[in-house]
Amino acid sequence: MVARVRLHTVAELLQEGFSTVRVPLMGQALCAGFPSPADDFLEGALELPRWLVPNPPATFLWRIAGDSMRDAGIFDGDLACVDRSLKPSHGSVVVAAVDGEMSIKRMVVERNRAHLSFDNAELPVFALEELAEVNVWGVVRFTIRWHVARAGQGR
């Protein structure tokens, strides 16, 4: 079955009006490096245009901490918009729970076997233990990055 997708121009979106949806912001930063313990709690929500968030009930924002995904254009301090309804495939940037610890990685499928990897050539290969429990939690739809200094952020 092939899904039909209609592409809109920005002008069309502006004519249709800007409805917004509230997307929950997870309070614990998402580790972009080696996983670290994380508490699952919400920090608040951000209002985003509805056309950016096709499935609001399955969508969350995570703040990125670390630089293991910088070759994918995902940097420390960015916000990742994660959609739990998307099916991950080869090349997807995913949020995964590795032994219960949330992190962001690239999904690579080779010979019908999936594994997770960093997207930073300066880091060692991300090695998963043979018996590690890995659950892909969602797929990164897009990221948000500030390009100007933010007060109190040291940028």
Side-chain angles (χ1 to χ4, degrees):
M1 175 180 204
V2 176
R4 303 193 111 203
V5 176
R6 182 175 185 278
L7 297 176
H8 296 273
T9 65
V10 172
E12 289 174 321
L13 293 170
L14 292 173
Q15 289 172 356
E16 293 173 10
F18 268 113
S19 63
T20 60
V21 293
R22 291 178 60 83
V23 180
L25 176 62
M26 302 303 283
Q28 177 71 32
L30 186 59
C31 182
F34 295 94
S36 63
D39 296 324
D40 290 332
F41 65 92
L42 299 177
E43 181 178 291
L46 223 56
E47 286 197 8
L48 295 175
R50 176 73 170 91
W51 56 271
L52 279 177
V53 185
N55 193 352
T59 305
F60 297 84
L61 294 168
W62 288 82
R63 190 174 325 279
I64 302 298
D67 65 355
S68 74
M69 297 300 291
R70 76 170 188 210
D71 293 346
I74 301 172
F75 300 95
D76 186 65
D78 288 357
L79 290 177
C81 182
V82 181
D83 188 333
R84 296 198 70 191
S85 69
L86 295 176
K87 183 179 177 183
S89 60
H90 175 73
S92 295
V93 175
V94 299
V95 171
V98 179
D99 288 332
E101 299 172 357
M102 304 301 279
S103 65
I104 182 171
K105 301 284 181 277
R106 171 87 57 196
M107 177 180 270
V108 179
V109 179
E110 294 172 334
R111 291 178 277 208
N112 291 328
R113 185 177 169 127
H115 66 273
L116 303 175
S117 69
F118 292 132
D119 240 346
N120 182 336
E122 294 180 9
L123 292 177
V125 173
F126 178 73
L128 287 173
E129 297 294 325
E130 277 294 316
L131 299 175
E133 183 179 336
V134 178
N135 293 304
V136 174
W137 193 83
V139 176
V140 175
R141 185 174 279 284
F142 62 88
T143 59
I144 300 170
R145 176 177 322 117
W146 283 263
H147 294 274
V148 296
R150 291 182 283 165
Q153 296 288 321
R155 296 174 185 236

